[in-house]
Each structure stands twice: as structure tokens, then as C-alpha cells.
DNA sequence: AGCACATCCTAAAACCTTTTCGGAGATCTT
DNA sequence: AAGATCTCCGAAAAGGTTTTAGGATGTGCT
């Protein structure tokens, strides 16, 4: 019985191949390529030419095995569908910048089992660090087990304050929105927002209340209208507000989708935005806010920047920096729905 | 000059540690853990207990170095922001299923230089294969240089028909939309869509035209209204259609955003959707389609499934399967904007 | 000529796992 | 009791790279 003559599998060129072609030892080839050690320049070019010729690419596995650093990080997200993960993910990828670092993407679907599984796999691949992206701003339990590499939590902070968490200042965001409406000359402001079960909704409402209190103004309806994050709630709530409090001259919405619903109802009622009443949204979701009628002013939480910072913090921690958390403010992106009166 | 007494760096447990603790050789430990070779069951449990105790995780780098298979694939996307990459990306991640495979995520931002750079890095990490996700359905140039691993192109096919491409049947999608409107009893159908520079726009229009021709009906306005993919074009184009062709009783829109604009203008004109006129969108973008007034019927291209198939094809190709491309049909997701008349 | 020294290069070890082959001990057969 | 057979385990090599320590030249000086 003869063994099948296997097709000679393609074998990527190794440093040995390069060295042989250049007529030097592997050690010399390594030094020539990495610019380390004493190598005569004529030898160096000979090696580099050989490497070029073979289109040699150093085996990162072997390198990582030896150095203990792989130049990879794990990015653990809990919902890829959600719109919050994506910009953060982009920022984090950007932070790894010069191409030294590659990113493993894992989606745990909010499932703790799956998460554990992914972490296991990532550690097995000897990632240098982990970034954990949440989909809500509510604090999340830290990764289970002891993780031998630095971890940075983004958007959703870790429940353990000793961990590194990079978050958004939702209280400040709520304050910003109200202050913008006040600056536009508004005085009778209502707040329609999402589920009270979300920390984000509560925080934004808190900031809004604080800003109104500071201005000595009541909130129209006395308290926020909590509901859901979608358009139909925006329509329904706006209906109630208009009927119960016709004097309202501005509405701060907890999401751009809610704001879209609000705009629609205001149009039904013949209320002119922004002349008779101002509307401001939250999230600055381009697809929703940038093309409505009128175009929607909104609070942008700079999620991409959040991701960049998370990446930077992770790399710093890998290099031994002390952990520290940070919270970032948002900014008002002004469009036509809050043109000042007068 | 004394060298600083380094903090003893944490060293992940190796198979040697496990073997030592269990009182066996590394070879035996390996066999016990991987269930290979002849190992007495009492020895096996001893090894497994030791591994558990040290929370040993096999070093995937060493394993990959030896076997030539890393169990990693590269996912090269051209725009993470775009909504098309994400579901595909999710599907591809799913396909890698049982946790055997990890995915490197790279965003080339549509930049050829950056793309080359990323490919280089991925090959250096010895990925077993590559998935390339485009953001438009227009064919794209294949990856530059010779790639020593299988490559699957998704959404945007490779310009080289010898490559594996997994795409969406936009012509069929256009046909589906028209057939649905016909089934609803409509006869005077217009088509408002995005930039003619997009293959997707042209394909959908082609499918629509074919379906109308097959039914012996003209297209209202004689040809599609090409414009841009956004809401404001939807509003503007609907305005034109209504004024020039008041007899129109259905509008097929090239995107859900266009459809939103169309719905808004129809409302302005007092045209009742779906009683007086039907509207169907494209993409089935939940955030846009699922909460409009009325809720929007749309064509869903099953992008996640596309990603899954791409993953499966890639793994098959890695295992030596012959390359083959495939095109997938969409499906109608019916909501209130196309309730049948009568 | 003989020595010190700088320059350039090489051999070998290390990183961690898997696999092959052979050896040691135990059990069975005659 | 001697050989044959089985069962289980260990030694060693391989995979590709980097680094350390030392070896081989050649140069400058006395």
C-alpha cells in the first residue's frame, strides 16, 4: 500500500530560506531585517533583497511565542447590532494605529456563558489585553475569573471601581441639552425619554432636572415622561404633552428616534418647529437626525473618541501604566430644530 | 550599577507545569488533555485535575506554529460605519461557531494602501483564510498580490470570476418588490431610487422593469427616478411623481430612507397609505422601517445569512473545497404600507 | 612578529506544544 | 519459567524566531 503523493503544500518562506538565499546565518538575517545588532551594510542589503525576493513575512506566532507579546487584543462586544458598539469599535481599532496591533472581534450576544467561552479562547491566543464594550450604560459585572491581562471597559462601566472604565457623562449630556434650549430662549421644557430601567435614561433626566433647577424653572409635567426608546413612544408622549401642557415651548428627547416621533406629532398639531417649539434629540444618529424635517439638533456622545481612548488606555496598561477611569462629556450638534427664537 | 529587581512577570502556566504537578511527562499530559493516545484513565484524571487547578489554557501560538493551522481568519471590511458590513460580519462570526475559530477585524476605510497593509499583517499572523466585505455591490478589484490562503468576497463581488464571491441578487430583489405590489392589486407603479452610479440601484431598477414588462405594464414616468439614497430625495421625488402622474398607485423605493421621505410627502398631499397608494422600501432597516407611520414593507436581503454562508464557504475552501460563487435572493417583509386594496 | 582590539558573523538556547518511536513493565501462553 | 503480547508512559524532534555569548577575521600599534 503506497501513501498518496500529497500535493506539496505551499509553505510560507521562513527566515531560514532568506538566510540561505543571502548566504548568511538565520541570526544575521534576523538582525538585518530588524535593524538590531552589528551587521555590515552590504550584508544587510543582501538579506533585505533576499527577503523581498521571497516576499518573506516574519511568522508572528513564532515571534509571539518567544517574546510573550503577541501584538493582539480582544474586543468583546455584547451586541454588534446595537449602534453603540460600532463607533467605539472603530475608535479602538484606530487606536491600535500603526498596524502593530491586530484586533480579535468577539460578540457575546449578552450571554455570560458565551462571554466566558470567548475570553477563554482569547486568553488561549495570548492576547495582550481586552476591551469590553457594553450596549447599555448600566454597570456590568466584571469578567469572571482572574484575567491575566489588562482589561478596559467601555460605554458600560465595570461594577468594580478598581477596573478601568471609559464612559459617557450622561448627566452632563442631559444638562447640555437643557442649557442649549435655555440659550435658545425657551422656558417651558418637557423631557420625553426611554425606559426608566436604563441608567442612561435616569442619568440624562437627572442632568436635565439639575439644569432646570439651576435656572429656577420647573420641568413641564413635573417629571420626565419615561417610556420606550422608539418613535411611536415619541409620538404618543408628545400627544400627551401638547394636550396637557399647551404652553410647552421645548422638548428634550432621550433619543433621536423619540425625537422623530415628537416632530411628527408636532407637525400633526400644526406646531411650528423651531418657531413655536424647539426639539432636541440624543445620540446624534446621522441616519435619523440629519435628514428629518426640520433637521434635528442632537447631543453627540463622541463614541468613536471613547473607543480611541479605550484603546490608548489599554496599551498604556499593557505597558504597565496604573489603571484609571474616565468619563467623557458630549457636545451639542446644532441643526434647524433648535434655531433660536426672535 | 545593579539591575533593578524586576517584578516577577506573571507567566501563564505551561504544559510543563501541569505535567510536573501531575507527576507525568509533558507528552503524557498533552495526550491526556487532548484525549489522544493511550493514557490510563487514572492518569488522565490526575492530569486534568492539575490543569484545572492551574487553570491551564494551551498556548494557541505554539500549537499553531506546530500544526500550520492557527484557527484564525481575517475579516477585512471597507466601511464599518456602513450598515451592510455589520450583519454580514455577525453572520461570519457565527459561522466560525464552535469557538474553534477567532476573527481578526480590520477596517480598510476603502483605502487600497491600508488594505494592503492589513492583509500583510494578517498573513504575518498566519490566518487560515480571509473574508472581504464590501460596502457597495459594485465588483471590486481582487486583493493585490498573491494570497497564500483562501479568500471569500461578500456583498461586493471580486472582479475576478475565479474568486469566491457571495452576493445579493438585487435584480431579483427589484422583481420581488414589483411582484408584491402587483399582488396587492397595484397597476401604476413608480420607482424612486438612489444614485445611478451604484450597481445596486441599476440592478434593482432592472429587476423592476423586467417584472413590469412581464405583466405588460409601463413604469410610471417611463423610467426610474435616480437621485440619492436619502430621505430628502424621497420627499422631492415623490413630489414630482404625484404632480406629474397623479394616477400613481404604488411606489417602489430603492432604500428605506427614500421610502420614509416618500411617506412624508404622501402624507402632505393627503394621499392615504396604503389605501390610496402603496409604498415598499428596500433593505429592511429596522430602525427606519419598523416604526414609521404606516410601518413600512421592505425587501430584506438576509445579509446575516450572507455572512454565514461566506464563513462556511471559507472554511470549506480551507479544507480544500473547490471555489464557487453564489447569489442569494431577498424576501419581502410585509408591514402596513402595502396592505392589499379591497 | 606579536599583541590588543574592533568588527562582523554564527552556534545554540529558549519559547510551548504535538507526535512518533521505542522502552519498561505487566499479563498471558505454552 | 521463558517467550510473546499489551498497555502505558517518556525522550526527543519539530515548528520559526530572537537573543546571548562567543568565534573568526582583519586592522592598528609596538
Amino acid at each position: 500500500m503506497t501513501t498518496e503523493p500529497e500535493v506539496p503544500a505551499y509553505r510560507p518562506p521562513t527566515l531560514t530560506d532568506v538566510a540561505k538565499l543571502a548566504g548568511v546565518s538565520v541570526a544575521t538575517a534576523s538582525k538585518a531585517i530588524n535593524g538590531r545588532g552589528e551587521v555590515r551594510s552590504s550584508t544587510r542589503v543582501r538579506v533585505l533583497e533576499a527577503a523581498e525576493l521571497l516576499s518573506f513575512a516574519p511568522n508572528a506566532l513564532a515571534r509571539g511565542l518567544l517574546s510573550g507579546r503577541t501584538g493582539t487584543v480582544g474586543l468583546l462586544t455584547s451586541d454588534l447590532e446595537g449602534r453603540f458598539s460600532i463607533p467605539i469599535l472603530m475608535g479602538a481599532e484606530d487606536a491600535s494605529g500603526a498596524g502593530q496591533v491586530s484586533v480579535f472581534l468577539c460578540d457575546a450576544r449578552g450571554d455570560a456563558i458565551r462571554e466566558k467561552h470567548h475570553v477563554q479562547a482569547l486568553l488561549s491566543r495570548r492576547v495582550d489585553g481586552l476591551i469590553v464594550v457594553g450596549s447599555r450604560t448600566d454597570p456590568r459585572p466584571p469578567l469572571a475569573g482572574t484575567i491575566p491581562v489588562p482589561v478596559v471597559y467601555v460605554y458600560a462601566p465595570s461594577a468594580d471601581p478598581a477596573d478601568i472604565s471609559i464612559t459617557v457623562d450622561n448627566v452632563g449630556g442631559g444638562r447640555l441639552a437643557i442649557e442649549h434650549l435655555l440659550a435658545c430662549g425657551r422656558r417651558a421644557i418637557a423631557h420625553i425619554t426611554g425606559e426608566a430601567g436604563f441608567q442612561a435614561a435616569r442619568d440624562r433626566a437627572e442632568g436635565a432636572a439639575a439644569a432646570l433647577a439651576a435656572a429656577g424653572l420647573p420641568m413641564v409635567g413635573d417629571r420626565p415622561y419615561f417610556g420606550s426608546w422608539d418613535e411611536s413612544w415619541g409620538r404618543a408622549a408628545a400627544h400627551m404633552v401638547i394636550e396637557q401642557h399647551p404652553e410647552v415651548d421645548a422638548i428634550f428627547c432621550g433619543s433621536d428616534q423619540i425625537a422623530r416621533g415628537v416632530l411628527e406629532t408636532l407637525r400633526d398639531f400644526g406646531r411650528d418647529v423651531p418657531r413655536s417649539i424647539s426639539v432636541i434629540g440624543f445620540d446624534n444618529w446621522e441616519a435619523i437626525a440629519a435628514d428629518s424635517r426640520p433637521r434635528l439638533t442632537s447631543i453627540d456622545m463622541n463614541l468613536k473618541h471613547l473607543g480611541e481612548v479605550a484603546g490608548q488606555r489599554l496599551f498604556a496598561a499593557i505597558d504597565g501604566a496604573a489603571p484609571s477611569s474616565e468619563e467623557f462629556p458630549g457636545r451639542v450638534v446644532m441643526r434647524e430644530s433648535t434655531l433660536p427664537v426672535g
Side-chain angles (χ1 to χ4, degrees), chain A residues 10-256:
Chain A
Y10 169 84
R11 197 180 54 81
T14 79
L15 196 54
T16 312
D17 300 330
V18 175
K20 206 168 291 175
L21 181 59
V24 298
S25 73
V26 283
T28 306
S30 170
K31 281 183 284 199
I33 287 178
N34 297 305
R36 245 180 291 280
E38 308 295 334
V39 178
R40 193 172 9 186
S41 63
S42 68
T43 313
R44 183 189 313 280
V45 301
R46 203 147 33 91
V47 171
L48 291 180
E49 280 169 7
E52 179 69 20
L53 188 62
L54 298 176
S55 60
F56 166 77
N59 187 326
L61 273 65
R63 192 181 268 177
L65 183 58
L66 189 59
S67 71
R69 282 269 188 108
T70 56
T72 60
V73 305
L75 186 23
L76 206 52
T77 166
S78 52
D79 80 320
L80 261 181
E81 313 216 39
R83 309 182 2 269
F84 304 114
S85 305
I86 305 305
I88 293 174
L89 193 152
M90 289 189 64
E93 220 220 334
D94 278 3
S96 64
Q100 303 304 330
V101 177
S102 296
V103 178
F104 278 117
L105 174 69
C106 298
D107 186 356
R109 311 279 148 83
D111 175 356
I113 308 280
R114 206 187 303 248
E115 178 175 286
K116 203 166 180 175
H117 190 96
H118 275 144
V119 170
Q120 204 56 258
L122 291 171
L123 292 180
S124 182
R125 296 195 189 284
R126 297 293 186 268
V127 292
D128 295 332
L130 289 172
I131 297 180
V132 179
V133 182
S135 58
R136 301 173 50 161
T137 67
D138 302 69
R140 52 152 289 154
L143 291 183
T146 39
I147 310 292
V149 295
V151 182
V152 172
Y153 297 82
V154 203
Y155 200 66
S158 164
D160 182 346
D163 290 329
I164 308 178
S165 297
I166 308 296
T167 52
V168 145
D169 179 6
N170 273 300
V171 177
R175 205 179 315 122
L176 272 180
I178 297 299
E179 283 165 359
H180 176 70
L181 294 175
L182 293 173
C184 290
R186 300 309 189 177
R187 290 294 176 272
I189 304 176
H191 181 30
I192 300 176
T193 189
E195 299 175 37
F198 282 65
Q199 182 81 46
R202 297 196 300 275
D203 284 348
R204 291 167 195 173
E206 179 189 329
L212 284 171
L217 292 171
M219 182 179 282
V220 167
D222 283 336
R223 25 179 237 88
Y225 291 76
F226 288 104
S228 61
W229 296 105
D230 54 37
E231 242 176 297
S232 51
W233 166 243
R235 290 194 292 260
H239 206 107
M240 300 193 310
V241 171
I242 292 286
E243 296 218 315
Q244 295 166 11
H245 308 282
E247 79 280 10
V248 64
D249 65 8
I251 300 181
F252 165 35
C253 303
S255 77
D256 289 339

Side-chain angles (χ1 to χ4, degrees), chain A residues 268-330:
Chain A
D268 287 352
F269 273 83
R271 296 285 305 256
D272 183 339
V273 179
R275 277 217 267 277
S276 146
I277 181 169
S278 301
V279 175
I280 186 169
F282 209 104
D283 294 338
N284 192 33
W285 187 358
E286 284 283 335
I288 304 289
D291 212 19
S292 58
R293 217 170 21 156
R295 296 166 64 241
L296 188 64
T297 297
S298 188
I299 304 290
D300 187 314
M301 295 316 268
N302 300 320
L303 294 179
K304 193 173 167 196
H305 181 242
L306 215 64
E308 283 168 15
V309 172
Q312 288 158 4
R313 284 301 167 85
L314 183 64
F315 300 138
I318 290 172
D319 290 333
S324 77
S325 295
E326 201 166 355
E327 192 178 50
F328 283 88

